[in-house]
Amino acid sequence: MPTLERVPALVATGFLAIPVAEALVALPTEVVMKIEGAPIDADLADTAAFSEAYGYPLAGGANCIVVAGKRGDEVRYAACVVLASTKLDVNRVVKQLLDVRKASFAPMDEAVELTGMEYGGITPIGLPASWPLYIDARVLDAPEVVIGAGRRAAKLFLPGAALTALPNVTVVEGLATEPVSPTAG
């Protein structure tokens, strides 16, 4: 099993995406002091693979999902953070939050270009300043979550509640749903 060499986030800036490193230094000191970073094997960046390889609980993972919705000719982007054990409710909740007729995951190339981050490493820290950031309320209850670091080859670790210090945050009850068990029925 590979090991995680966690260091304070401000020490980790060399292996973070540039927008993430820049956003970290802008956070209040009491928040950034709670964030750690670690380099990882980029092939293990996906949440399930990371959890299995590094022995980190899947329930401790949080995913940042870039969504796009259209209202007339206008495309509206947002980022949503949900626990890895849940599923983002794009078709109902996100659509309503963005006030659009249709919302979906943003195409990979658009998400990468607009965030300046690598696909599979996109994180809520360092997103475009104009984007709303919706966080499922359950994320705030997590004593620690692991999120992307803007690059596939790194992760950030922080208390879920620390995400409320980011710009444009709205905490949303029911942003995510529990996945339906295949045996439920």
Side-chain angles (χ1 to χ4, degrees):
M1 176 179 301
T3 59
L4 288 171
E5 294 183 34
R6 292 166 57 162
V7 297
L10 291 180
V11 175
T13 56
F15 52 79
L16 308 177
I18 291 171
V20 178
E22 291 173 346
L24 279 172
V25 298
L27 288 173
T29 302
E30 65 274 8
V31 174
V32 80
M33 298 306 290
K34 297 176 183 176
I35 304 173
E36 293 181 315
I40 65 162
D41 180 334
D43 291 335
L44 301 172
D46 294 334
T47 306
F50 171 83
S51 293
E52 183 177 337
Y54 290 93
Y56 198 86
L58 187 60
N63 293 326
C64 181
I65 302 154
V66 176
V67 294
K70 278 190 115 176
R71 180 79 162 167
D73 290 337
E74 178 189 9
V75 177
R76 298 177 183 178
Y77 292 95
C80 301
V81 179
V82 299
L83 293 175
S85 57
T86 62
K87 183 179 175 191
L88 179 63
D89 188 344
V90 177
N91 294 322
R92 191 177 56 85
V93 178
V94 176
K95 187 168 83 168
Q96 183 178 17
L97 289 166
L98 287 176
D99 189 27
V100 294
R101 291 181 54 126
K102 183 179 181 197
S104 59
F105 295 171
M108 177 179 59
D109 56 337
E110 282 180 29
V112 167
E113 181 181 339
L114 294 170
T115 63
M117 300 179 203
E118 294 177 2
Y119 188 76
I122 294 176
T123 188
I125 300 172
L127 291 169
S130 62
W131 287 9
L133 174 58
Y134 301 119
I135 301 176
D136 186 73
R138 289 173 277 205
V139 173
L140 281 83
D141 294 333
E144 180 177 79
V145 293
V146 60
I147 59 175
R151 297 183 54 232
R152 290 184 62 84
K155 292 286 187 186
L156 292 173
F157 303 82
L158 65 155
L163 294 171
T164 61
L166 298 174
N168 304 322
V169 167
T170 302
V171 176
V172 181
E173 289 286 341
L175 180 62
T177 59
E178 296 293 327
V180 177
S181 169
T183 58

